[in-house]
Amino acid sequence: SQTIHQWPATLVQPVGSPLSLECTVEGTSNPNLYWYRQAAGRGLQLLFYSVGIGQISSEVPQNLSASRPQDRQFILSSKKLLLSDSGFYLCAWSGTGGDYGYTFGSGTRLTVV
Amino acid sequence: AQSVTQLDSQVPVFEEAPVELRCNYSSSVSVYLFWYVQYPNQGLQLLLKYLSGSTLVKGINGFEAEFNKSQTSFHLRKPSVHISDTAEYFCAVSENTGGFKTIFGAGTRLFVKA
């Protein structure tokens, strides 16, 4: 069966520090991969999506970047965190075609102080 | 481009009462529709989905939803809620054009009271 792993679960980082969040998927190949951010009391904002290795699309201009070095690995990064980067970050994967729905990781709670 | 509107940000309801969480969408093409549930500090879990066929779809935990194309709605219902149903519920839509992006609504907080 397919599983998705996301870590760490919680992270407290000072302003100006770098960030690296990792997400890996098991049990499937060539998944579509996504990074979402969920601010407190708000919905999900799509940050990045990827349909293949090295293929990254950004939905909103921001202080973050994403990379997909391997088929089932998706990394969210920042060189210098801002206070506004605080939030709940969710990784998800789906099959191609849009009709499978998403499977989400358990999320990372990032607090920038 | 598609959009999703969840009409209620919070829905308080007593245990064993019925509940309906409302969702409207907008799209210029055919869509797939989804409902997800999120428990505190967890990721989202797929409750149910509408792809085609019967407009009434049943999901996990006793939830069901009805697709209404003329009203562009996909409301979620449960005839009798439990305390454990307290969670955030998200309606989502993806376009049926071979694409892969899903747009989520802002969420509805269901609070079940004893």
Side-chain angles (χ1 to χ4, degrees), chain B residues 15-85:
Chain B
E15 192 174 20
E16 298 184 6
V19 70
E20 179 180 81
L21 306 183
R22 298 180 293 167
C23 173
N24 285 96
Y25 70 93
S26 173
S27 177
S28 57
V29 299
S30 297
V31 296
Y32 299 132
L33 295 159
F34 307 85
W35 276 99
Y36 291 84
V37 60
Q38 183 182 32
Y39 299 102
N41 295 312
Q42 295 185 27
L44 280 70
Q45 178 184 5
L46 182 65
L47 266 181
L48 49 77
K49 60 183 177 182
Y50 171 79
L51 305 181
S52 65
S54 173
T55 57
L56 183 65
V57 292
K58 295 186 182 298
I60 62 172
N61 301 341
F63 283 93
E64 62 181 32
E66 186 159 20
F67 170 57
N68 188 319
K69 187 174 182 180
S70 62
Q71 297 187 7
T72 60
S73 68
F74 191 54
H75 301 333
L76 180 71
R77 291 190 275 259
K78 186 169 183 177
S80 176
V81 295
H82 303 291
I83 297 288
S84 59
D85 292 322

Side-chain angles (χ1 to χ4, degrees), chain A residues 34 36 38 49 98-99 102 109, chain B residues 32 36 38 41 94 100 102:
Chain A
Y34 311 85
Y36 282 87
Q38 185 177 25
Y49 65 90
D99 57 344
Y102 287 12
R109 175 77 58 193
Chain B
Y32 299 132
Y36 291 84
Q38 183 182 32
N41 295 312
S94 69
F100 38 76
T102 295

Side-chain angles (χ1 to χ4, degrees), chain A:
Chain A
S1 62
Q2 303 93 349
T3 56
I4 179 169
H5 303 281
Q6 187 180 343
W7 68 93
T10 60
L11 192 59
V12 179
Q13 292 284 97
V15 169
S17 65
L19 173 73
S20 181
L21 302 181
E22 189 162 343
C23 173
T24 59
V25 180
E26 296 178 358
T28 187
S29 59
N30 196 32
N32 292 334
L33 296 171
Y34 311 85
W35 278 112
Y36 282 87
R37 178 169 58 202
Q38 185 177 25
R42 300 178 65 179
L44 280 74
Q45 180 186 33
L46 178 61
L47 302 176
F48 301 95
Y49 65 90
S50 172
V51 299
I53 296 174
Q55 300 179 59
I56 308 295
S57 295
S58 174
E59 287 296 290
V60 291
Q62 59 206 325
N63 185 41
L64 302 169
S65 62
S67 62
R68 184 171 178 173
Q70 301 180 43
D71 181 46
R72 290 169 287 182
Q73 184 185 27
F74 204 24
I75 298 171
L76 182 69
S77 304
S78 173
K79 292 182 180 179
K80 290 185 178 182
L81 284 169
L82 306 171
L83 287 174
S84 58
D85 292 324
S86 293
F88 192 51
Y89 288 82
L90 290 160
C91 180
W93 78 270
S94 74
T96 58
D99 57 344
Y100 295 99
Y102 287 12
T103 299
F104 283 85
S106 53
T108 295
R109 175 77 58 193
L110 172 66
T111 304
V112 183
V113 297

